[in-house]
Amino acid sequence: TFSLYLHPQLQSPPPLSIHTTAEMFLNLSLLLFPLLLVSGEKIQSIATHTDSCLTCGMIEGTSYLTVQVCGSTDCCLSRSLDSDGINWLPGQTDTFQGDGILECANYEIGAAPYSISAFHDGSDALTISWIEVRTDMRTVRCDLDSKLDDHNFVKASCN
């Protein structure tokens, strides 16, 4: 007769019991659950809408608008919003992304709800109707309807 000898490391493992399977599932769940809670959204762009009145716009170079965007886990600061086009014309929507939003570009701020703070610096006033924040998962609008001048700011919640 012929018998086959298998080294103990090459043999099949014993079948898993229900207790062992449940314990492994629980351990895996405990490891992965915190990842679900901190899954953050990343900012793709920030858009502003200048009100339509004659004096609502702002001359670039004389004044600046900085936006702070906050989510459930963190905030980012755009420093001075800028894009390739002419910004801040009355009735115009300006969209800023990439280098135009500096630190906020692809920044993970957590989940909604979001809030913004808009900081104005300079001598030429600006009246902003709203600011939109677009993440990789949603777009939210923050209604401002505020005239900003000199060194003041406004805070708003976003829907």
Side-chain angles (χ1 to χ4, degrees):
T1 65
F2 179 70
S3 68
L4 183 62
Y5 171 78
L6 288 176
H7 190 275
Q9 290 179 346
L10 298 176
Q11 293 178 1
S12 300
L16 295 176
S17 70
I18 291 177
H19 175 72
T20 306
T21 304
E23 187 177 322
M24 286 176 33
F25 179 74
L26 180 63
N27 288 338
L28 185 60
S29 297
L30 290 174
L31 287 172
L32 295 178
F33 185 70
L35 294 176
L36 296 174
L37 293 177
V38 295
S39 65
E41 297 179 28
K42 293 181 180 180
I43 296 178
Q44 304 301 304
S45 66
I46 298 172
T48 62
H49 184 75
T50 304
D51 207 5
S52 297
C53 69
L54 182 62
T55 60
C56 288
M58 182 174 75
I59 299 171
E60 289 186 85
T62 63
S63 299
Y64 305 93
L65 187 70
T66 296
V67 175
Q68 179 185 45
V69 182
C70 295
S72 63
T73 59
D74 210 352
C75 298
C76 69
L77 191 65
S78 70
R79 305 280 183 238
S80 179
L81 291 176
D82 192 24
S83 70
D84 292 337
I86 298 173
N87 303 310
W88 320 119
L89 295 175
Q92 179 172 291
T93 299
D94 299 302
T95 302
F96 308 93
Q97 55 194 9
D99 292 340
I101 57 175
L102 299 175
E103 172 187 301
C104 288
N106 290 311
Y107 195 86
E108 189 173 303
I109 59 171
Y114 298 120
S115 64
I116 60 109
S117 297
F119 303 90
H120 179 275
D121 187 33
S123 59
D124 193 14
L126 174 65
T127 304
I128 295 287
S129 299
W130 49 260
I131 295 177
E132 278 186 348
V133 177
R134 186 174 61 85
T135 70
D136 51 355
M137 297 180 72
R138 75 186 83 223
T139 299
V140 294
R141 182 171 285 189
C142 319
D143 292 315
L144 297 179
D145 292 320
S146 297
K147 181 176 183 176
L148 301 169
D149 200 3
D150 297 321
H151 308 287
N152 62 2
F153 69 97
V154 64
K155 292 183 176 185
S157 296
C158 310
N159 299 326

